[in-house]
Amino acid sequence: MCIAIPGKLVEKKEDDRGIVDMGGVKTEISLVFIPTVKEGDWIIIHTGFGLEIMSEQDALNMITLLHEAKNSADY
Amino acid sequence: MDLRSFRNPKLVRQVVKDLSEYRNEVKIMEVCGTHTMAIGKWGIRKLIPENIKLISGPGCPVCVTPSSVIDELINLEGVTIASFGDLLRLPGSIGNLEQARAKGLDVHTIYSPLEALELSKQKETLFVGIGFETTIPGIAYTISEAHRLKLTDFSVLSLGKLIAPALDALLSDKQIEIDGFILPGHVSVITGTDAYSFMPEKYRVGGVVTGFEPLDIVVGIQKLLGQMTRPQIINEYSRAVTKKGNQNAQAMIERIFEVSNAFWRGLGKIPSSGLIIRDEYSQFDASKKYGLMVESPEVSLAACQSAPASVSNVSANCRCGDILKGKIIPIECALFNSECTPDNPLGPCMVSSEGSCAAYYLYERGYQ
Ligand code: SF4
């Protein structure tokens, strides 16, 4: 239940909200816990909230692995 | 580093080879359900030498939620219940929320607490706020939003639990011998590694915060073994976790909640391990609004073991409590994979997709 998933911030909106691209799916999330985040940054996301900013390399790494895990088992 | 290197079999094998040089018997507990699933999925228990035992602890919010919560919710009338999906199959003594929904109870599965807030603009909504530190900041923010918007039909049943006090309780139990911990990656994003500094200081037991890939886990074990004589907290997940954690999120938790004692199914009452909504926001406290008695010690402390099977979906022989404390592994429960399966879960450890019994069922049925 505590799994968090990476996404890329494509649009920073008002009121600490933003649109993230999570593997091609665009979703609006809250950025209230990471106010310094910039468009283009990668973040890790849990239950509709950005929890931390992370490097692109690490985010891509996580995405590849999560994607494979999802395809290979009920993970 | 190659994108796939966290799963590179050569690198993993090299680390495992190094592990075989360690001769002592050690017990290492992972406290995060996602780690439990990852260890099962990658077959790590079989991969590493036999003298290094990996056991699963209380790392799944659904598994530690007292069944009395479900009974209280099922008996509510005239309010919509919003919850994360995993909670729906948790058995109470008169069935689970999924069955109650089939009989007409208005239950919504949601992904974010903010969806519950939206729902409350149409109908009176109670959000069941389960989770550890990863999830709690979002719940706190949702309550602050309800306050700002002056909503009247929104409330939260605060069942959030804190991991560090649970580790403290496990370490202070003389019957439980654990030599080191694999600490939760995403909980630690919020808490930071400093939250665990009491472990080496007070108990001389170390821990490693690590990610969820095979290399993350075996390197974590290797680092743990390397510090047995001088225990410390090691951060092997620095790609997401810092020493201090996310302080904005911590401040939000602090603003909305105050720390309280809490009952953990299987573990009992743990001091300072729960959160209650502060008086200032009490209009959003579902336990006050609907007079819910979710922390009844008799029910919660009983865990699943003592509930009579005749009146409950929870088997009298379920040993979830011993599993959450790391005293036994799931295959040692007589009901595992016979009467108790994910399709017919008799206890909370089999209900949640991250429960220890569910993880063993999925990946390690043949492992002794
Ligand atoms: S296998 Fe089922 S009955 Fe046994 S401990 Fe696990 S959840 Fe309880």
Side-chain angles (χ1 to χ4, degrees):
Chain A
M1 222 199 99
C2 295
I3 196 83
I5 292 172
K8 186 176 187 167
L9 185 65
V10 291
E11 187 188 342
K12 196 168 178 181
K13 300 168 82 174
E14 290 186 353
D15 296 336
D16 296 317
R17 309 221 25 105
I19 308 282
V20 283
D21 184 335
M22 296 165 82
V25 181
K26 295 213 168 70
T27 321
E28 186 166 321
I29 63 160
S30 168
L31 306 171
V32 65
F33 303 129
I34 43 170
T36 58
V37 70
K38 300 184 297 297
E39 283 177 9
D41 281 349
W42 286 85
I43 45 193
I44 88 170
I45 300 153
H46 174 77
T47 63
F49 292 86
L51 296 188
E52 205 47 88
I53 304 166
M54 66 193 306
S55 76
E56 176 164 14
Q57 177 78 7
D58 290 337
L60 291 175
N61 213 336
M62 267 175 95
I63 289 171
T64 316
L65 301 170
L66 283 168
H67 184 70
E68 284 183 18
K70 204 171 153 201
N71 286 346
S72 62
D74 181 14
Y75 185 60
Chain B
M1 198 188 261
D2 168 44
L3 268 188
R4 308 283 291 275
S5 58
F6 283 101
R7 226 190 266 178
N8 182 326
K10 247 196 202 158
L11 286 175
V12 174
R13 266 200 300 274
Q14 181 55 49
V15 179
V16 168
K17 198 165 152 255
D18 293 347
L19 292 181
S20 63
E21 283 163 23
Y22 194 85
R23 301 273 173 232
N24 297 343
E25 285 270 333
V26 276
K27 259 189 174 180
I28 296 175
M29 176 180 271
E30 87 273 357
V31 279
C32 165
T34 314
H35 274 140
T36 302
M37 293 302 279
I39 287 167
K41 178 178 168 57
W42 306 118
I44 289 173
R45 238 180 287 275
K46 280 167 276 183
L47 206 64
I48 61 176
E50 271 187 17
N51 55 321
I52 304 170
K53 299 259 183 289
L54 296 183
I55 50 175
S56 310
C60 149
V62 173
C63 301
V64 296
T65 298
S67 59
S68 53
V69 169
I70 304 301
D71 294 349
E72 290 282 323
L73 291 171
I74 285 177
N75 287 325
L76 275 178
E77 278 173 19
V79 56
T80 295
I81 293 168
S83 141
F84 298 128
D86 264 6
L87 192 74
L88 260 62
R89 296 195 317 138
L90 183 68
S93 67
I94 46 170
N96 63 29
L97 285 172
E98 209 167 52
Q99 290 157 341
R101 177 161 68 184
K103 287 186 195 146
L105 191 72
D106 191 16
V107 181
H108 285 241
T109 307
I110 50 161
Y111 160 70
S112 169
L114 290 170
E115 289 169 41
L117 193 85
E118 282 307 308
L119 206 56
S120 79
K121 293 175 185 169
Q122 298 149 33
K123 45 190 177 181
E124 189 172 333
T125 302
L126 181 162
F127 170 62
V128 189
I130 60 164
F132 295 142
E133 287 91 334
T134 327
T135 317
I136 295 166
I139 300 174
Y141 175 74
T142 306
I143 295 173
S144 81
E145 277 296 278
H147 187 258
R148 185 179 69 82
L149 297 167
K150 298 190 172 60
L151 299 182
T152 52
D153 287 338
F154 177 74
S155 65
V156 173
L157 186 57
S158 174
L159 298 168
K161 291 190 166 52
L162 306 172
I163 285 285
L167 293 175
D168 202 337
L170 276 172
L171 282 166
S172 66
D173 185 337
K174 296 279 177 286
Q175 287 183 328
I176 301 169
E177 289 168 1
I178 297 163
D179 303 298
F181 285 86
I182 295 176
L183 297 165
H186 292 142
V187 162
S188 307
V189 169
I190 303 300
T191 64
T193 52
D194 276 358
Y196 311 111
S197 53
F198 71 93
M199 294 167 56
E201 284 162 17
K202 194 166 154 193
Y203 298 104
R204 292 199 46 75
V205 172
V208 59
V209 178
T210 188
F212 303 98
E213 299 310 322
L215 193 62
D216 283 327
I217 295 171
V218 291
V219 167
I221 295 169
Q222 187 185 33
K223 292 273 165 88
L224 257 183
L225 297 180
Q227 53 89 72
M228 286 293 170
T229 49
R230 271 192 35 209
Q232 50 189 290
I233 302 300
I234 304 162
N235 184 3
E236 271 301 307
Y237 197 38
S238 56
R239 51 191 203 270
V241 174
T242 60
K243 217 167 134 45
K244 299 272 173 222
N246 185 322
Q247 292 176 54
N248 294 318
Q250 291 167 17
M252 181 59 77
I253 297 174
E254 170 77 27
R255 188 175 135 201
I256 303 296
F257 294 109
E258 62 187 284
V259 170
S260 66
N261 298 335
F263 289 93
W264 294 56
R265 188 198 285 250
L267 301 183
K269 183 178 175 179
I270 301 181
S272 308
S273 67
L275 296 167
I276 50 174
I277 298 173
R278 288 189 185 279
D279 281 349
E280 198 184 335
Y281 300 94
S282 64
Q283 68 268 41
F284 304 108
D285 186 339
S287 66
K288 290 186 178 146
K289 190 168 181 178
Y290 302 103
L292 303 178
M293 294 280 294
V294 291
E295 293 288 344
S296 148
E298 309 80 60
V299 184
S300 317
L301 280 173
C304 36
Q305 289 96 326
S306 56
S310 55
V311 296
S312 165
N313 283 350
V314 180
S315 167
N317 296 320
C318 173
R319 299 192 61 194
C320 221
D322 288 336
I323 287 169
L324 296 174
K325 287 182 183 165
K327 287 185 177 170
I328 63 163
I329 57 173
I331 51 174
E332 293 175 77
C333 168
L335 302 173
F336 178 80
N337 195 20
S338 54
E339 282 144 86
C340 184
T341 63
D343 285 336
N344 181 36
L346 297 181
C349 298
M350 190 63 95
V351 169
S352 160
S353 58
E354 289 185 350
S356 304
C357 297
Y360 265 78
Y361 183 89
L362 199 55
Y363 300 117
E364 304 186 65
R365 259 173 282 178
Y367 174 63
Q368 297 295 324

